[in-house]
Amino acid sequence: MSTTSLTASLPVPDRADRLRDALLAADFTADGLLELLGAPAYAALARSETVPALRATRADGPLATLVRLFLLQQPVPRDGARAVLPLDEALADGWVVDEGGEVRATVDVRPYGGPEGQDWFIVSDLGCAVGGAGGASGHGEGVVLGVGGASTTLAGITVRTPVASALDLGTGSGIQALHAAQHATRVTATDLNPRALEFTRLTLALSGAPEADLRTGSLFEPVESETYDLIVSNPPFVISPGARLTYRDGGMGGDDLCRSLVQRAGERLNEGGFAQFLANWQHVEGEDWQERLRSWVPRGCDAWIVQREVQDVTQYAELWLRDAGDHRDDPERYAQRYEAWLDEFEQRKTRAVGFGWITLRKSGAEEPSIVVEEWPHPVEQPLGEAVRAHFARQDYLRSRDDAALLADHFVLAPEVMQEQVGLPGAEDPEHVVLRQNRGMRRATKVDAVGAGFAGVCDGTLSAGRILDAIAQLMGEDPVMLRDRTPQAIRLLVEEGFLEPAAEA
């Protein structure tokens, strides 16, 4: 993208409702795209491969015209554009331009399906929507990207309980603010890049969402001492030498930006509030990465930190050099930039970089729950309810000593299955595995007592009564069984295999 296009004025949202009506009338929606293009071409768009979609839109028609115009950034005949758009208004408001009888889009407009079937639109710089014409590679410093895998991941893990106030920090094209507007009375969105705030305004307007309070600035500076019930951020977390690309490079040394964001979030949260971030962190020689992240958690907050992926420093450098399009640049300059990344990592004794999710919950607990784990396995999105339930379970366990735990009643969580593992024909299995088919899709190995206990948890009997029955069946001392089992029950509750039964 040229410097000229980055500095050109953006559309005005004043009549976005008229444009939205036209887009919906032509079925320019996520479902409409899938039906028109077919699954292979639709999936290819997400990889920034446009040839299948171009072939699928050769035939004339309102939806094909909009796909070529707003997703593929192809010129369309003026008469074709007028047949599907309020063209005079779209020209006057700057959504499109007329170039000698052909109409071109000035921004990417990407149909996006909301969690309850809403038809939304994410507006971003030309070629920068997932499924747009070119992806992010090679664009300039002030570029505003559309929907990517990171942003949809964050949207999926965010707790969606109704709140009075939400903060989208580093809003970009506004996808997190758009989601928050559905369950927050007041949404504030910030970004260091003023253009990003204008794109957020367009995204909200074209999606029919309420306006947000838009503020320019870095991290928490624009909100001063204000506090919120929900804070979300997909920050520029890339650990890089310098801050060449605003949309991805934090501009602080190493993982300091992510650390600062997490440490400062505690004082910005209302009691019971959640802060949820995507982040990168260093794996430093001679340092436990989990302890490094534990040190980030602010006082008075519970935390759940999940590492989803780890890359060695060469993989990491190559990933982000390619993201910037440097691999297509001069080979000597590419080598110099690669060297700069490796020099940076060597100086900081960084051996690898982790990527994952960080969730804080302002609990005020004297003994906070801080869970830091590695989970690279598939999960079921959306996970927002699973995240909320995780912290509710921590509250429950924190309030129960072993005696209280054994007096409580439990039920097996829905979709938990039992697998028996052993040699074919063996009388007894070598071990038993409980496996979740929802949420985090965890699996845990249990012994015969654990399997028997989980199998009869239907809320009828207390945990202690169940253990007494198991002791009688297995010929064990019931007192000793009660003494050694609570920790195993705690683990099954903590990981969501067992749930406290609702009180009658």
Side-chain angles (χ1 to χ4, degrees):
M1 182 174 297
S2 67
T3 302
T4 302
S5 61
L6 281 178
T7 58
S9 60
L10 296 175
V12 294
D14 300 353
R15 293 181 285 189
D17 57 333
R18 292 286 307 279
L19 178 58
R20 172 180 170 80
D21 289 344
L23 299 180
L24 294 178
D27 204 20
F28 188 59
T29 64
D31 290 342
L33 289 184
L34 182 59
E35 183 174 348
L36 173 69
L37 302 179
Y42 190 74
L45 271 180
R47 303 189 299 269
S48 294
E49 295 290 348
T50 60
V51 172
L54 286 167
R55 291 172 61 87
T57 56
R58 285 174 177 171
D60 289 332
L63 181 54
T65 296
L66 292 175
V67 171
R68 290 196 301 270
L69 179 65
F70 285 119
L71 281 186
L72 304 177
Q73 278 87 64
Q74 299 294 308
V76 300
R78 182 190 302 167
D79 289 344
R82 187 175 295 279
V84 69
L85 294 173
L87 185 58
D88 292 338
E89 292 180 5
L91 287 166
D93 293 346
W95 294 95
V96 296
V97 293
D98 192 329
E99 297 180 344
E102 290 186 323
V103 174
R104 285 185 178 272
T106 62
V107 290
D108 252 314
V109 177
R110 167 74 175 185
Y112 176 76
E116 298 179 357
Q118 302 99 323
D119 291 315
W120 292 340
F121 301 96
I122 310 299
V123 187
S124 62
D125 269 315
L126 287 171
C128 291
V130 170
S137 297
H139 290 303
E141 177 182 346
V143 67
V144 177
L145 302 186
V147 183
S151 53
T152 55
T153 293
L154 178 59
I157 68 173
T158 300
V159 176
R160 297 296 175 193
T161 52
V163 294
S165 57
L167 171 64
D168 176 14
L169 195 152
T171 185
S173 56
I175 179 175
Q176 310 304 331
L178 178 57
H179 276 278
Q182 311 308 304
H183 64 102
T185 304
R186 175 174 58 89
V187 176
T188 301
T190 72
D191 206 288
L192 183 63
N193 181 1
R195 296 183 73 252
L197 299 177
E198 293 306 311
F199 275 110
T200 294
R201 192 188 311 276
L202 295 172
T203 289
L204 295 174
L206 195 57
S207 299
E211 294 183 4
D213 179 6
L214 305 177
R215 306 185 192 183
T216 306
S218 176
L219 299 181
F220 290 102
E221 291 174 2
V223 299
E224 298 179 342
S225 60
E226 296 174 43
T227 58
Y228 299 87
D229 302 312
L230 174 67
I231 300 172
V232 293
S233 183
N234 177 19
F237 52 65
V238 176
I239 300 171
S240 61
R244 185 159 61 101
L245 299 175
T246 304
Y247 72 86
R248 68 166 205 193
D249 299 326
M252 296 184 183
D255 52 19
D256 283 355
L257 182 136
C258 291
R259 176 186 55 78
S260 177
L261 184 62
V262 173
Q263 289 180 335
R264 296 172 60 188
E267 62 188 8
R268 306 296 180 193
L269 280 176
N270 293 326
E271 197 69 24
F274 287 91
Q276 300 187 257
F277 314 107
L278 301 185
N280 277 181
W281 44 78
Q282 298 169 158
H283 285 231
V284 178
E285 183 178 347
E287 183 179 5
D288 185 311
W289 70 269
Q290 292 176 311
E291 289 305 313
R292 179 184 186 85
L293 291 174
R294 285 177 179 276
S295 73
W296 291 9
V297 178
R299 185 183 300 275
C301 288
D302 294 337
W304 186 20
I305 302 174
V306 182
Q307 179 168 274
R308 295 287 289 159
E309 183 179 0
V310 182
Q311 290 186 323
D312 68 48
V313 292
T314 58
Q315 292 175 307
Y316 190 80
E318 291 162 14
L319 169 67
W320 294 109
L321 287 167
R322 288 181 174 272
D323 171 80
D326 290 337
H327 62 299
R328 295 196 295 264
D329 203 348
D330 176 69
E332 184 175 347
R333 183 179 302 174
Y334 174 81
Q336 291 173 348
R337 286 176 172 165
Y338 201 151
E339 287 271 9
W341 282 71
L342 297 185
D343 287 344
E344 175 82 4
F345 287 133
E346 184 175 349
Q347 180 183 353
R348 295 182 176 277
K349 298 183 179 181
T350 302
R351 297 294 175 257
V353 177
F355 167 81
W357 321 324
I358 297 178
T359 300
L360 307 176
R361 197 273 305 264
K362 188 72 169 287
S363 66
E366 293 184 6
E367 297 182 8
S369 165
I370 301 177
V371 177
V372 184
E373 63 176 323
E374 186 165 16
W375 191 256
H377 311 295
V379 300
E380 182 190 47
Q381 286 275 36
L383 269 174
E385 175 55 26
V387 173
R388 186 207 61 76
H390 167 89
F391 287 95
R393 292 194 297 269
Q394 304 310 309
D395 284 344
Y396 167 80
L397 291 171
R398 194 158 39 206
S399 69
R400 296 297 198 277
D401 60 16
D402 287 354
L405 195 71
L406 293 177
D408 280 350
H409 298 231
F410 298 93
V411 295
L412 191 66
E415 306 293 333
V416 172
M417 304 297 291
Q418 176 178 301
E419 300 176 1
Q420 294 185 341
V421 180
L423 294 174
E427 183 176 349
D428 295 313
E430 292 181 10
H431 60 265
V432 175
V433 173
L434 299 181
R435 187 178 301 277
Q436 301 170 351
N437 289 318
R438 304 292 300 273
M440 293 293 285
R441 293 178 172 165
R442 296 186 186 276
T444 188
K445 187 188 298 186
V446 294
D447 60 14
V449 172
F453 181 87
V456 297
C457 278
D458 61 3
T460 303
L461 298 175
S462 70
R465 292 283 301 279
I466 293 174
L467 290 178
D468 291 344
I470 291 174
Q472 185 175 3
L473 286 172
M474 299 181 69
E476 292 202 31
D477 184 332
V479 175
M480 293 184 64
L481 190 60
R482 278 175 172 256
D483 286 345
R484 77 168 193 260
T485 306
Q487 188 57 38
I489 297 175
R490 287 184 184 278
L491 181 61
L492 291 175
V493 173
E494 180 175 343
E495 294 191 342
F497 291 94
L498 293 178
E499 300 174 352
E503 296 182 4

